[in-house]
PDB file of all heavy atoms in Angstrom:
ATOM      1  N   SER A  28      79.713 112.999 108.556  1.00  0.00           N
ATOM      2  CA  SER A  28      78.928 111.814 108.244  1.00  0.00           C
ATOM      3  C   SER A  28      78.972 110.934 109.468  1.00  0.00           C
ATOM      4  O   SER A  28      79.997 110.848 110.148  1.00  0.00           O
ATOM      5  CB  SER A  28      79.546 111.093 107.051  1.00  0.00           C
ATOM      6  OG  SER A  28      79.205 109.723 107.088  1.00  0.00           O
ATOM      7  N   GLY A  29      77.857 110.306 109.762  1.00  0.00           N
ATOM      8  CA  GLY A  29      77.834 109.429 110.928  1.00  0.00           C
ATOM      9  C   GLY A  29      78.294 108.025 110.571  1.00  0.00           C
ATOM     10  O   GLY A  29      78.476 107.191 111.447  1.00  0.00           O
ATOM     11  N   TYR A  30      78.461 107.757 109.263  1.00  0.00           N
ATOM     12  CA  TYR A  30      78.871 106.415 108.852  1.00  0.00           C
ATOM     13  C   TYR A  30      80.213 106.511 108.164  1.00  0.00           C
ATOM     14  O   TYR A  30      80.328 106.923 107.019  1.00  0.00           O
ATOM     15  CB  TYR A  30      77.825 105.786 107.926  1.00  0.00           C
ATOM     16  CG  TYR A  30      78.026 104.296 107.734  1.00  0.00           C
ATOM     17  CD1 TYR A  30      77.596 103.395 108.702  1.00  0.00           C
ATOM     18  CD2 TYR A  30      78.673 103.799 106.610  1.00  0.00           C
ATOM     19  CE1 TYR A  30      77.793 102.030 108.554  1.00  0.00           C
ATOM     20  CE2 TYR A  30      78.877 102.434 106.445  1.00  0.00           C
ATOM     21  CZ  TYR A  30      78.429 101.556 107.419  1.00  0.00           C
ATOM     22  OH  TYR A  30      78.633 100.206 107.271  1.00  0.00           O
ATOM     23  N   ILE A  31      81.263 106.144 108.885  1.00  0.00           N
ATOM     24  CA  ILE A  31      82.614 106.257 108.345  1.00  0.00           C
ATOM     25  C   ILE A  31      83.094 104.842 108.043  1.00  0.00           C
ATOM     26  O   ILE A  31      82.950 103.942 108.878  1.00  0.00           O
ATOM     27  CB  ILE A  31      83.513 106.995 109.349  1.00  0.00           C
ATOM     28  CG1 ILE A  31      82.942 108.408 109.542  1.00  0.00           C
ATOM     29  CG2 ILE A  31      84.951 107.078 108.854  1.00  0.00           C
ATOM     30  CD1 ILE A  31      82.994 108.890 110.937  1.00  0.00           C
ATOM     31  N   ARG A  72      73.835 117.558 113.447  1.00  0.00           N
ATOM     32  CA  ARG A  72      74.594 117.732 114.682  1.00  0.00           C
ATOM     33  C   ARG A  72      75.161 116.395 115.160  1.00  0.00           C
ATOM     34  O   ARG A  72      76.310 116.322 115.606  1.00  0.00           O
ATOM     35  CB  ARG A  72      73.708 118.376 115.763  1.00  0.00           C
ATOM     36  CG  ARG A  72      74.477 118.630 117.035  1.00  0.00           C
ATOM     37  CD  ARG A  72      73.847 119.664 117.945  1.00  0.00           C
ATOM     38  NE  ARG A  72      73.977 121.000 117.418  1.00  0.00           N
ATOM     39  CZ  ARG A  72      72.948 121.811 117.158  1.00  0.00           C
ATOM     40  NH1 ARG A  72      71.713 121.415 117.370  1.00  0.00           N
ATOM     41  NH2 ARG A  72      73.162 123.018 116.702  1.00  0.00           N
ATOM     42  N   GLY A  73      74.354 115.334 115.034  1.00  0.00           N
ATOM     43  CA  GLY A  73      74.827 113.995 115.421  1.00  0.00           C
ATOM     44  C   GLY A  73      76.025 113.564 114.584  1.00  0.00           C
ATOM     45  O   GLY A  73      76.989 113.003 115.113  1.00  0.00           O
ATOM     46  N   SER A  74      75.970 113.853 113.288  1.00  0.00           N
ATOM     47  CA  SER A  74      77.066 113.446 112.398  1.00  0.00           C
ATOM     48  C   SER A  74      78.359 114.182 112.724  1.00  0.00           C
ATOM     49  O   SER A  74      79.444 113.604 112.652  1.00  0.00           O
ATOM     50  CB  SER A  74      76.714 113.737 110.936  1.00  0.00           C
ATOM     51  OG  SER A  74      75.610 112.974 110.551  1.00  0.00           O
ATOM     52  N   ILE A  75      78.232 115.459 113.059  1.00  0.00           N
ATOM     53  CA  ILE A  75      79.423 116.245 113.418  1.00  0.00           C
ATOM     54  C   ILE A  75      80.094 115.621 114.633  1.00  0.00           C
ATOM     55  O   ILE A  75      81.307 115.391 114.657  1.00  0.00           O
ATOM     56  CB  ILE A  75      79.046 117.717 113.708  1.00  0.00           C
ATOM     57  CG1 ILE A  75      78.576 118.407 112.421  1.00  0.00           C
ATOM     58  CG2 ILE A  75      80.220 118.475 114.339  1.00  0.00           C
ATOM     59  CD1 ILE A  75      77.942 119.778 112.650  1.00  0.00           C
ATOM     60  N   PHE A  76      79.270 115.296 115.619  1.00  0.00           N
ATOM     61  CA  PHE A  76      79.813 114.727 116.849  1.00  0.00           C
ATOM     62  C   PHE A  76      80.446 113.362 116.600  1.00  0.00           C
ATOM     63  O   PHE A  76      81.574 113.089 117.024  1.00  0.00           O
ATOM     64  CB  PHE A  76      78.713 114.627 117.927  1.00  0.00           C
ATOM     65  CG  PHE A  76      79.235 114.033 119.194  1.00  0.00           C
ATOM     66  CD1 PHE A  76      79.850 114.831 120.149  1.00  0.00           C
ATOM     67  CD2 PHE A  76      79.163 112.657 119.406  1.00  0.00           C
ATOM     68  CE1 PHE A  76      80.374 114.272 121.307  1.00  0.00           C
ATOM     69  CE2 PHE A  76      79.692 112.091 120.558  1.00  0.00           C
ATOM     70  CZ  PHE A  76      80.286 112.905 121.508  1.00  0.00           C
ATOM     71  N   THR A  77      79.702 112.502 115.889  1.00  0.00           N
ATOM     72  CA  THR A  77      80.216 111.153 115.637  1.00  0.00           C
ATOM     73  C   THR A  77      81.519 111.204 114.850  1.00  0.00           C
ATOM     74  O   THR A  77      82.476 110.495 115.161  1.00  0.00           O
ATOM     75  CB  THR A  77      79.182 110.306 114.852  1.00  0.00           C
ATOM     76  OG1 THR A  77      77.949 110.341 115.566  1.00  0.00           O
ATOM     77  CG2 THR A  77      79.632 108.875 114.697  1.00  0.00           C
ATOM     78  N   LEU A  78      81.548 112.063 113.834  1.00  0.00           N
ATOM     79  CA  LEU A  78      82.762 112.165 113.031  1.00  0.00           C
ATOM     80  C   LEU A  78      83.952 112.563 113.901  1.00  0.00           C
ATOM     81  O   LEU A  78      85.024 111.955 113.838  1.00  0.00           O
ATOM     82  CB  LEU A  78      82.577 113.192 111.906  1.00  0.00           C
ATOM     83  CG  LEU A  78      83.789 113.342 110.995  1.00  0.00           C
ATOM     84  CD1 LEU A  78      83.918 112.135 110.073  1.00  0.00           C
ATOM     85  CD2 LEU A  78      83.714 114.604 110.165  1.00  0.00           C
ATOM     86  N   ALA A  79      83.753 113.568 114.732  1.00  0.00           N
ATOM     87  CA  ALA A  79      84.846 114.014 115.602  1.00  0.00           C
ATOM     88  C   ALA A  79      85.296 112.876 116.515  1.00  0.00           C
ATOM     89  O   ALA A  79      86.495 112.606 116.644  1.00  0.00           O
ATOM     90  CB  ALA A  79      84.409 115.232 116.420  1.00  0.00           C
ATOM     91  N   ALA A  80      84.329 112.196 117.120  1.00  0.00           N
ATOM     92  CA  ALA A  80      84.683 111.116 118.058  1.00  0.00           C
ATOM     93  C   ALA A  80      85.397 109.975 117.333  1.00  0.00           C
ATOM     94  O   ALA A  80      86.358 109.402 117.855  1.00  0.00           O
ATOM     95  CB  ALA A  80      83.427 110.614 118.779  1.00  0.00           C
ATOM     96  N   VAL A  81      84.954 109.644 116.125  1.00  0.00           N
ATOM     97  CA  VAL A  81      85.608 108.559 115.379  1.00  0.00           C
ATOM     98  C   VAL A  81      87.050 108.955 115.012  1.00  0.00           C
ATOM     99  O   VAL A  81      87.974 108.155 115.155  1.00  0.00           O
ATOM    100  CB  VAL A  81      84.805 108.180 114.111  1.00  0.00           C
ATOM    101  CG1 VAL A  81      85.619 107.281 113.185  1.00  0.00           C
ATOM    102  CG2 VAL A  81      83.503 107.485 114.488  1.00  0.00           C
ATOM    103  N   TYR A  82      87.239 110.191 114.566  1.00  0.00           N
ATOM    104  CA  TYR A  82      88.596 110.627 114.218  1.00  0.00           C
ATOM    105  C   TYR A  82      89.521 110.592 115.427  1.00  0.00           C
ATOM    106  O   TYR A  82      90.662 110.166 115.326  1.00  0.00           O
ATOM    107  CB  TYR A  82      88.576 112.021 113.584  1.00  0.00           C
ATOM    108  CG  TYR A  82      88.368 111.952 112.103  1.00  0.00           C
ATOM    109  CD1 TYR A  82      87.177 111.449 111.583  1.00  0.00           C
ATOM    110  CD2 TYR A  82      89.368 112.309 111.215  1.00  0.00           C
ATOM    111  CE1 TYR A  82      86.991 111.333 110.229  1.00  0.00           C
ATOM    112  CE2 TYR A  82      89.179 112.198 109.845  1.00  0.00           C
ATOM    113  CZ  TYR A  82      87.995 111.711 109.357  1.00  0.00           C
ATOM    114  OH  TYR A  82      87.821 111.581 108.022  1.00  0.00           O
ATOM    115  N   LEU A  83      89.009 111.037 116.546  1.00  0.00           N
ATOM    116  CA  LEU A  83      89.827 110.990 117.760  1.00  0.00           C
ATOM    117  C   LEU A  83      90.102 109.542 118.146  1.00  0.00           C
ATOM    118  O   LEU A  83      91.224 109.187 118.510  1.00  0.00           O
ATOM    119  CB  LEU A  83      89.118 111.733 118.900  1.00  0.00           C
ATOM    120  CG  LEU A  83      88.965 113.252 118.678  1.00  0.00           C
ATOM    121  CD1 LEU A  83      88.003 113.857 119.710  1.00  0.00           C
ATOM    122  CD2 LEU A  83      90.317 113.962 118.728  1.00  0.00           C
ATOM    123  N   LEU A 223      82.240 101.518 112.925  1.00  0.00           N
ATOM    124  CA  LEU A 223      81.529 101.216 114.171  1.00  0.00           C
ATOM    125  C   LEU A 223      80.594 100.011 114.023  1.00  0.00           C
ATOM    126  O   LEU A 223      79.814  99.711 114.912  1.00  0.00           O
ATOM    127  CB  LEU A 223      80.734 102.453 114.638  1.00  0.00           C
ATOM    128  CG  LEU A 223      81.576 103.720 114.866  1.00  0.00           C
ATOM    129  CD1 LEU A 223      80.688 104.901 115.278  1.00  0.00           C
ATOM    130  CD2 LEU A 223      82.663 103.496 115.926  1.00  0.00           C
ATOM    131  N   TYR A 302      86.088 104.790 120.896  1.00  0.00           N
ATOM    132  CA  TYR A 302      84.900 105.548 120.490  1.00  0.00           C
ATOM    133  C   TYR A 302      83.837 105.478 121.589  1.00  0.00           C
ATOM    134  O   TYR A 302      83.216 106.491 121.925  1.00  0.00           O
ATOM    135  CB  TYR A 302      84.318 105.016 119.176  1.00  0.00           C
ATOM    136  CG  TYR A 302      83.014 105.693 118.831  1.00  0.00           C
ATOM    137  CD1 TYR A 302      83.004 106.943 118.226  1.00  0.00           C
ATOM    138  CD2 TYR A 302      81.793 105.097 119.171  1.00  0.00           C
ATOM    139  CE1 TYR A 302      81.812 107.595 117.959  1.00  0.00           C
ATOM    140  CE2 TYR A 302      80.592 105.742 118.905  1.00  0.00           C
ATOM    141  CZ  TYR A 302      80.615 106.993 118.295  1.00  0.00           C
ATOM    142  OH  TYR A 302      79.422 107.634 118.055  1.00  0.00           O
ATOM    143  N   VAL A 312      84.613 115.729 124.126  1.00  0.00           N
ATOM    144  CA  VAL A 312      84.753 115.865 122.671  1.00  0.00           C
ATOM    145  C   VAL A 312      84.471 117.308 122.251  1.00  0.00           C
ATOM    146  O   VAL A 312      85.229 117.906 121.471  1.00  0.00           O
ATOM    147  CB  VAL A 312      83.811 114.878 121.932  1.00  0.00           C
ATOM    148  CG1 VAL A 312      83.879 115.100 120.425  1.00  0.00           C
ATOM    149  CG2 VAL A 312      84.171 113.438 122.280  1.00  0.00           C
TER     150      VAL A 312
END
Side-chain angles (χ1 to χ4, degrees):
S28 155
Y30 194 80
I31 298 140
R72 183 160 288 122
S74 296
I75 293 169
F76 179 86
T77 306
L78 181 74
V81 168
Y82 273 64
L83 294 168
L223 302 178
Y302 174 81
V312 175

